[in-house]
Structure formats: C-alpha cells, structure tokens
Amino acid sequence: MGQSQSKPNRFFNDEEIKMIAQVYNQEGLDAVLPLIKDKCDNLDNEKVTIAVTGESGVGKSAFINAMRGLGPNDEGAAEEGIIEQTSKPTPYQHPTLPSVCLWDLPGIGTTRFSARQYLDKVNFNTYDLFVLITGERFKENDVKLAKEIKKMGKEFYFVRSKMDTVEVNLNEVGQHDRLEEVFDEIRMYYNRSLKESGLPTSQVFLVSSRYPHRYDFMEFFGCLESELPDKKKNVFVLSLPNLTEAVIEKKKKVLRAKVLLAAVVSGGIGAIPIPGVSVACDIGILVVTLLHMRSYLGLDDESLCRLACRVNKPVQELKAEITSPFVLNITPSSVIKLLTSTVSGAAMIADEALLLIPVIGSVIGATVSFTATCFLLNSALNDFAKSALNVLKKAIEDNSEVL
C-alpha cells in the first residue's frame, strides 16, 4: 500500500492528470475518452517492419496480404498479379496494428544492381526481418542476396510459395496420396541447394498464401516470433490472422499482460484524490482496452465483414457465434452497466466518495480500482477469446480451405 501512495501515477504525469480533471469537469466522460485512448495507443506503437522480396511472379503481394489477414479484394490489399508490380519499396500497414508494416521490395532479378547495391538501395537496415520468396527453383540472385544479408548480421527466411498448386497438380493426375512424399522431396531439394550454396543453417518454409492455415505458415509465424525482442514479439503476435486455435491462445496470453497493465494504470488513477477523475479514467481505460481486445481478436465489424466475404458467409452468421452481446456494444454506458452488475465494479464507483478524504481515499481507491479492472477485463477476455474461436470454427465449417 505504501508503494501505491508513493508511486500512484506512473502512467499519467501530474500535468496530464490536471488536464484530465479539467476536461472531465467541463465536458464530461466522453471528452476524457480520447485522452485515455491516445495514452494507451502508445503502448502498441512498437514498430515491426518486415521486408519481403523475390523475383517477379513468385507471389510476394499475395504473401503480404496473407500475413495481414487480407484477401486480394480487401481494402488496402497489395495488388496481386504475375507481372512485377513493385519498382520501389512499398509499405503495407497492418489493418488493425499500423505499427506492423510489411514492405514489398522490388525483386533483385528486376533491378540492375548487385546484391550489395540492392540492399543499400532499399535501405535494408530499417527492417527487422527479411523474407525471400522463392519459386520452384532457387535462383542465383536469391543466394547472392541471402549471403549479403548474412554478412550484415540480419535474419532472413526463405519461403517457397504456391504450395497449393503442387497439391492441385497431384490431384489432377490422381496422385494425391503422394502429397507427403512430394513435399519431402521439395524440402530435400531446398536443403541440398542451401547446403551447396554455403547456407546450410537456413530454413525454407513451404506455404500457400491462398490457404495460410495449411502447410508451414504457422511454423513460419512461430519462427518470426522467436527472433523478435519481447516488445516487438507481442505486437507481432497480435497482428497475426486468426488461423488456428493456437493463434487465438497466443493472443490471449499477450492480452493477459495488457489487462494487468491496464489494472495498474487504473490503480494509479484510483489513488488520485480528485473527485470524478478516478471513475472517468477507469471507464476510459476499460473502454479503450476492450476495444483493442475486440480488434486484436478479429471481432470488430471490419474484421468480421472481411472474414465473411472471404468465406462467403453472411456476416450475421459469424456474429451469431459471439457468446456475449457486450462484445458488439462496447460504450461507456455499457461498461458502467457491466461494472455496476458486479460487486467489485459497484465498489469502485461507490468508492468515489472516499476520494474526498485524500489519505484514506488514495489507499482504498487504488486497491478497488485495480481489483475491479482486473476482474472485468479478465472476464471479458475469456468471453472474447471464446467468441473468436467460435467464429473461426464457423468460418471454416463445411469448407476448411477458404481461410
């Protein structure tokens, strides 16, 4: 409790608190929410930049769309086609996490630069990770570029795209039972090629941007995650499309940490002896955190509409899988209603009177705010994650190849 008194305000400084109090007193709760949102948004501004390159026609644009959970016709999608589309580095931000950006780089085979000159031209040092998309065969340019990347101490990943085409071709000749055998042969070819090229420790992932839930995409995601520092890792995990239950569980784990952070913030604000400010900030923190949770778990309207179009199902059919109507109606009033329906939430609001007594109020206010925020957000996170899993199951129902 002593710590709560001595450091009650690590998230907001004194000047910000005074401004929040003034805005609340003059304009009410709705005017406070943007102030809280701006502050909380900074927590997710850790930048993750992934460079994607490869020769013309290997499927870079489709891969970038798959990484962002977009279809070719979605707003903001990279234009897909067999003709080289990229003449200069082109950024594509994640639809819900703008700090995550994939850069479509011109294929080295389409430039007149050496591998070394190419890396300088595309400002290579600005990227966290480098992905080389390959076609049916390793090309000399792929090897040259990979070696230059190695020299600069950066990580790179080979991705063999369009593996669904391999499966389709086997089906057409009645040899689908050889699928595993053929995939093993492809892996052996790449491993042998890497070894012969002096890159024996590199790994190739066999993927399909059309069906990212199949083949090696999930393994590829895990490898990228393991290479990033913790702050970037968390943002990267939240940016992943909801392809499997494992992805949803990963997101849930990251969001658990965010719940704790929000509760600490709430506890710090609860220790501030300014009538009205604690509840205003608590509601603001809850609304913003809940909206972020909903977005990260793909339960916001835009994400659901994109998914509905991709799987060719009515969006209302997906929304019907959401377990709590609260997920679709996150507002200050709905949060207050939910708070007052719980003992801890009611205590948090009733505790406002104690803030008139600075010493007692600062101790009790912080404790109640922390407890109520933790309780509500953890309960909501469980509901949201369950809903996300239900939506995923519905989306792939009767057609496991549409995601």
Side-chain angles (χ1 to χ4, degrees):
M1 287 189 292
Q3 289 180 345
S4 296
Q5 284 182 285
S6 61
K7 292 184 178 180
N9 186 24
R10 297 177 64 185
F11 188 69
F12 293 96
N13 59 41
D14 292 338
E15 185 177 341
E16 289 171 329
I17 288 300
K18 289 179 181 178
M19 179 181 66
I20 289 174
Q22 183 178 4
V23 170
Y24 175 77
N25 290 331
Q26 292 178 356
E27 303 178 47
L29 176 60
D30 287 340
V32 170
L33 291 178
L35 304 179
I36 307 295
K37 184 180 186 303
D38 288 343
K39 195 70 177 179
C40 290
D41 281 347
N42 291 332
L43 301 176
D44 297 320
N45 282 344
E46 190 70 34
K47 292 184 178 180
V48 177
T49 55
I50 301 173
V52 181
T53 190
E55 293 196 336
S56 177
V58 295
K60 291 183 296 175
S61 296
F63 175 83
I64 287 172
N65 289 336
M67 287 284 290
R68 299 182 298 147
L70 299 179
N73 299 319
D74 288 331
E75 183 179 355
E79 186 177 354
E80 299 180 17
I82 60 172
I83 300 174
E84 177 67 29
Q85 302 284 351
T86 308
S87 60
K88 62 181 180 179
T90 305
Y92 290 96
Q93 291 181 315
H94 191 275
T96 56
L97 272 166
S99 62
V100 177
C101 187
L102 286 92
W103 287 77
D104 190 354
L105 306 187
I108 188 172
T110 64
T111 70
R112 292 181 298 224
F113 300 95
S114 68
R116 179 69 192 196
Q117 291 172 324
Y118 173 85
L119 292 179
D120 291 336
K121 176 179 171 63
V122 301
N123 200 15
F124 175 72
N125 283 319
T126 62
Y127 308 113
D128 294 307
L129 302 166
F130 212 100
V131 180
L132 300 175
I133 310 292
T134 71
E136 293 183 5
R137 291 288 181 267
F138 266 136
K139 299 292 181 69
E140 183 181 357
N141 285 325
D142 294 330
V143 174
K144 286 180 179 179
L145 186 56
K147 287 183 176 180
E148 289 298 329
I149 294 170
K150 278 282 192 182
K151 288 179 184 178
M152 299 178 74
K154 290 275 190 173
E155 279 299 331
F156 70 94
Y157 303 89
F158 278 115
V159 169
R160 163 62 161 96
S161 62
K162 303 182 181 181
M163 293 306 297
D164 57 294
T165 302
V166 176
E167 185 170 356
V168 169
N169 291 339
L170 287 172
N171 286 338
E172 289 180 350
V173 296
Q175 296 186 23
H176 189 270
D177 59 333
R178 293 190 61 237
L179 182 65
E180 187 174 342
E181 176 188 345
V182 171
F183 271 49
D184 285 341
E185 290 174 357
I186 293 172
R187 292 182 198 281
M188 289 170 57
Y189 160 74
Y190 281 115
N191 289 333
R192 184 171 63 250
S193 298
L194 286 168
K195 186 175 181 179
E196 291 172 354
S197 301
L199 298 165
T201 60
S202 301
Q203 187 175 358
V204 174
F205 298 92
L206 310 183
V207 308
S208 165
S209 297
R210 188 178 182 187
Y211 305 122
H213 63 297
R214 297 166 60 182
Y215 314 126
D216 292 347
F217 232 124
M218 294 309 302
E219 185 180 354
F220 172 71
F221 284 154
C223 195
L224 292 188
E225 179 190 347
S226 68
E227 293 294 339
L228 291 167
D230 286 342
K231 288 183 180 180
K232 291 178 180 286
K233 183 184 301 185
N234 290 339
V235 175
F236 175 73
V237 167
L238 293 177
S239 76
L240 297 178
N242 286 356
L243 299 177
T244 65
E245 182 176 358
V247 171
I248 294 172
E249 284 300 314
K250 278 179 177 285
K251 291 186 177 184
K252 186 176 178 181
K253 184 177 179 180
V254 172
L255 291 171
R256 284 271 184 234
K258 287 182 173 290
V259 164
L260 181 60
L261 178 58
V264 170
V265 172
S266 176
I269 298 299
I272 298 168
I274 303 176
V277 172
S278 177
V279 166
C281 289
D282 278 327
I283 301 302
I285 291 165
L286 287 169
V287 169
V288 169
T289 305
L290 289 165
L291 289 173
H292 282 182
M293 281 184 186
R294 184 174 71 180
S295 177
Y296 297 148
L297 288 168
L299 298 174
D300 57 295
D301 279 340
E302 289 185 10
S303 297
L304 289 170
C305 286
R306 282 196 299 265
L307 178 58
C309 289
R310 198 150 65 248
V311 301
N312 196 28
K313 290 185 177 181
V315 68
Q316 291 302 325
E317 191 173 323
L318 299 183
K319 287 185 176 182
E321 298 300 313
I322 294 175
T323 57
S324 169
F326 177 66
V327 175
L328 302 174
N329 181 37
I330 301 173
T331 63
S333 59
S334 66
V335 170
I336 290 173
K337 183 177 180 180
L338 189 62
L339 276 171
T340 54
S341 69
T342 69
V343 174
S344 56
M348 184 176 72
I349 294 177
D351 183 65
E352 197 64 38
L354 290 175
L355 292 178
L356 295 172
I357 310 172
V359 176
I360 299 175
S362 64
V363 175
I364 299 179
T367 303
V368 174
S369 293
F370 178 88
T371 303
T373 303
C374 257
F375 177 82
L376 186 142
L377 289 179
N378 276 312
S379 297
L381 179 56
N382 289 334
D383 286 343
F384 284 23
K386 182 179 179 181
S387 293
L389 182 58
N390 289 345
V391 169
L392 172 63
K393 290 178 178 178
K394 188 60 159 183
I396 64 176
E397 186 180 64
D398 303 323
N399 189 350
S400 62
E401 298 186 349
V402 292
L403 281 179

